[in-house]
Amino acid sequence: MRYALLVQGAPYSHQASHSALRFAQAVVARGHTLDSVFFYHDGVYNAARLAAPPQDEPHLPDAWCDLHAQHATALLVCIASALRRGLLDEREAVRHGKVGHSLEPPFELTGLGQLIDLGQRCDRLVTFSP
C-alpha cells in the first residue's frame, strides 16, 4: 500500500508531529511505501534548520531527515505556510533579499497542488493535526 502523510502540527507544541513520525516509521516497518510527507500550517516548523531541542527530547527535524535518507520519502513543505513563518530555502532567501535560509534540506518547498496530487496518487493520505 502507498501512503502519504499531512502534518499540520508544530513539533514540541502538539503531539501531531511526533505521532505522524511514529506512524511513518510503522508504515515502512510493515513493508508499505511512504511516498511523501506534506507539512502544512504550523507543521512547517518540522523543517526548521535551526531547531535545537534539549538532548533529552527527540530531535524531530533530524528524525524526518533520517526517514528521507533511509526510505527516500519526499519531505514537502507548503511554500505559503513556510514563507509566512520565516522558513525559506536558499532560492527563496535570495529572491526575498534575506541574509540566510532556514529550511533544512532535504525538506523542499512546494505548493498545495502537490498535496492534491498525493491524494490522487496514494492509496491513503493520513492527516495529523493538533
Side-chain angles (χ1 to χ4, degrees), residues 66-129:
D66 291 344
L67 183 76
H68 166 79
Q70 294 170 10
H71 303 286
T73 300
L75 303 175
L76 308 174
V77 178
C78 173
I79 189 168
S81 292
L83 293 179
R84 276 188 201 103
R85 290 163 176 84
L87 291 167
L88 297 86
D89 62 8
E90 289 183 72
R91 192 180 87 229
E92 289 298 317
V94 169
R95 188 167 85 90
H96 291 281
K98 302 296 180 184
V99 248
H101 65 282
S102 54
L103 192 79
E104 177 73 29
F107 291 91
E108 56 185 290
L109 296 177
T110 190
L112 283 174
Q114 189 72 15
L115 177 60
I116 293 167
D117 181 57
L118 287 173
Q120 294 175 340
R121 197 169 27 129
C122 295
D123 299 310
R124 300 284 187 269
L125 174 61
V126 182
T127 301
F128 293 86
S129 299

Side-chain angles (χ1 to χ4, degrees), residues 2-107:
R2 188 179 198 91
Y3 283 84
L5 306 182
L6 171 61
V7 179
Q8 297 180 336
Y12 315 111
S13 296
H14 301 282
Q15 189 64 31
S17 180
H18 193 254
S19 294
L21 179 62
R22 292 188 54 170
F23 183 85
Q25 292 165 336
V27 163
V28 296
R30 296 220 175 216
H32 300 290
T33 300
L34 181 59
D35 183 284
S36 302
V37 181
F38 192 93
F39 299 92
Y40 191 45
H41 295 300
D42 283 345
V44 301
Y45 288 121
N46 284 279
R49 180 174 165 227
L50 301 174
Q55 290 181 345
D56 63 339
E57 292 181 16
H59 195 297
L60 295 177
D62 282 356
W64 288 116
C65 291
D66 291 344
L67 183 76
H68 166 79
Q70 294 170 10
H71 303 286
T73 300
L75 303 175
L76 308 174
V77 178
C78 173
I79 189 168
S81 292
L83 293 179
R84 276 188 201 103
R85 290 163 176 84
L87 291 167
L88 297 86
D89 62 8
E90 289 183 72
R91 192 180 87 229
E92 289 298 317
V94 169
R95 188 167 85 90
H96 291 281
K98 302 296 180 184
V99 248
H101 65 282
S102 54
L103 192 79
E104 177 73 29
F107 291 91

